[in-house]
Amino acid sequence: IGVAKSVHVQALAADAYIIVDGAISNDRDGYATLGDYWKTLHQLARWGGDFDGFPDLGHFSFTWDGRS
């Protein structure tokens, strides 16, 4: 896809991380709570933890042009 077509560049995505003891958490349950809430805010809202192949737990975005 390339950086130019990233939903981050289009201001339709952000990465947010849970920090525990100074390190990024990989606890799926904590992110799932945020992801489930995020998806209730808009029909186009997507959470990276739902991505097939490589879940991106800290990714929160809106679908645009077929990409999340």
Side-chain angles (χ1 to χ4, degrees):
I1 296 174
V3 173
K5 293 187 178 187
S6 166
V7 289
H8 287 276
V9 173
Q10 301 298 321
L12 295 170
D15 291 331
Y17 299 100
I18 298 170
I19 307 297
V20 177
D21 296 327
I24 295 173
S25 171
N26 289 316
D27 177 21
R28 183 178 179 83
D29 291 339
Y31 288 100
T33 299
L34 295 171
D36 289 343
Y37 174 71
W38 174 254
K39 293 183 294 184
T40 69
L41 299 177
H42 194 279
Q43 65 185 13
L44 297 177
R46 300 293 179 263
W47 171 51
D50 293 333
F51 292 172
D52 288 332
F54 182 75
D56 187 354
L57 299 177
H59 179 89
F60 301 87
S61 64
F62 290 98
T63 298
W64 175 78
D65 199 23
R67 292 185 296 279
S68 296

